[in-house]
Amino acid sequence: MSVKEVLVENQVGLHARPATFFIQKANEYKASIWVEKEERRVNAKSLLGVLSLGIVGGTTIKIIADGSDEAEAVDSLVALVKSGFAS
C-alpha cells in the first residue's frame, strides 16, 4: 500500500473540472485508489465520491493506492494535485 499527503493549493479545490481530471488519471492505473479527507475515504475513480468530500483549496488530502502500480499511481496523482490540475 502506498500513501501520500498533498495540499490542494488551487483556490477552487476539487470541483467538477479538476475532479474529472483527477478521476481520469486515477483510471489509468490498475491499483485500487482512494482519496481521504479527515476521516472520510472514497474511491478516487468515482466522480460522485470525490465531489462528496467537498475538497476546497487549502485542504490536505491523502491519496492511497493498493495494487501492482500503486506507487506510480500515487506519485502521478500527487503531481496532478500539485500542478493545480493542469491537464
Side-chain angles (χ1 to χ4, degrees):
M1 186 170 290
S2 186
V3 180
K4 283 194 180 174
E5 283 193 358
V6 62
L7 176 66
V8 178
E9 295 180 22
N10 67 318
Q11 204 168 13
V12 293
L14 244 69
H15 67 85
R17 174 175 257 166
T20 300
F21 292 147
F22 187 86
I23 289 149
Q24 287 171 343
K25 179 62 76 178
N27 276 301
E28 293 175 12
Y29 299 96
K30 293 179 184 152
S32 295
I33 307 170
W34 301 274
V35 179
E36 192 173 277
K37 175 188 162 197
E38 295 159 359
E39 299 299 313
R40 291 195 53 217
R41 182 183 289 190
V42 299
N43 182 347
K45 298 179 182 182
S46 161
L47 182 60
L48 285 176
V50 172
L51 290 175
S52 76
L53 290 178
I55 298 166
V56 295
T59 303
T60 298
I61 60 172
K62 280 185 189 171
I63 299 172
I64 305 153
D66 191 20
S68 59
D69 52 2
E70 62 191 40
E72 184 186 347
V74 169
D75 289 343
S76 134
L77 289 167
V78 165
L80 179 66
V81 172
K82 286 183 176 178
S83 77
F85 301 94
S87 58

